[in-house]
Amino acid sequence: SEIFALPGNGGMAKDATCVAIDSKDIPAICDFAVSNNIDYAVVAPDDPLVLGCVDALEEKGIPCRTEKCVAITARPYRFPGESDGSMKYIAYKSALADFMIWLDSNGYHPVLVEHVFSDLDHENDMTCINEIIEMLGDRCQYSVFSDRKLTCRQMKQVYGTFTHTVGTRFHS
């Protein structure tokens, strides 16, 4: 539930915890990621990429695809006033699951992003995300990003790390 920047800089310190590890020290980066249970890593600039940081992290089980990562927001639509609202909601979730399978089979890594959370299931994106995960089973590789402590500014930075964003939750 925290963003780390290795080594980071003063500009990043507002939005991330800067950690004094040299960007060329791949073993130290991997050790840090494993010991801090990092869910996802963005590898940049050129030096760690050229030195094989992505491969080293992925060998340790830390996903860090630097290209073709697609953020997907999913909301629990209820289709008010529709006689077949529940069927439309099922079709919506099924279409997102099929899209994620297509992305995975075409070299993209889908990431479901909890964009809105609430105590009310009908407003909580994780409700829909969990239902899509249930539909997917083990038919594709994907990740889920959820951090309720992030500010809007930090979420904007998170979305900026993805190659593409499929937003079904950006109405405001």
Side-chain angles (χ1 to χ4, degrees):
S1 64
E2 189 171 357
I3 296 175
F4 296 99
L6 288 70
N9 60 44
M12 294 178 179
K14 282 182 169 180
D15 301 308
T17 300
C18 295
V19 180
I21 296 177
D22 187 277
S23 64
K24 295 178 186 176
D25 190 347
I26 306 309
I29 292 170
C30 290
D31 290 345
F32 177 85
V34 170
S35 66
N36 286 279
N37 297 314
I38 301 300
D39 295 317
Y40 178 77
V42 176
V43 179
D46 296 339
D47 287 337
L49 289 170
V50 170
L51 294 171
C53 191
V54 170
D55 292 337
L57 285 166
E58 288 189 341
E59 285 174 12
K60 301 280 186 184
I62 310 293
C64 56
R65 298 165 194 224
T66 56
E67 298 177 9
K68 299 172 108 179
C69 224
V70 180
I72 302 168
T73 64
R75 69 173 301 204
Y77 283 114
R78 294 297 174 234
F79 300 94
E82 299 285 330
S83 60
D84 60 348
S86 62
M87 294 306 295
K88 286 183 178 180
Y89 180 53
I90 291 168
Y92 163 75
K93 294 183 298 184
S94 180
L96 283 177
D98 289 345
F99 178 57
M100 291 173 64
I101 292 165
W102 181 89
L103 287 169
D104 182 55
S105 68
N106 284 280
Y108 294 87
H109 183 72
V111 180
L112 289 162
V113 178
E114 182 183 28
H115 187 78
V116 174
F117 40 88
S118 168
D119 292 334
L120 305 172
D121 280 347
H122 72 280
E123 286 294 326
N124 187 348
D125 289 355
M126 195 54 77
T127 300
C128 184
I129 288 170
N130 286 331
E131 291 168 352
I132 291 170
I133 289 169
E134 188 176 318
M135 292 174 112
L136 283 170
D138 62 357
R139 296 186 294 158
C140 78
Q141 296 292 314
Y142 61 88
S143 297
V144 175
F145 181 88
S146 173
D147 189 337
R148 295 178 174 201
K149 294 180 183 177
L150 296 181
T151 65
C152 291
R153 181 179 175 167
Q154 290 169 321
M155 281 303 295
K156 182 178 175 183
Q157 290 177 325
V158 168
Y159 283 118
T161 67
F162 293 98
T163 308
H164 305 284
T165 299
V166 177
T168 61
R169 196 58 150 132
F170 293 105
H171 58 274
S172 57

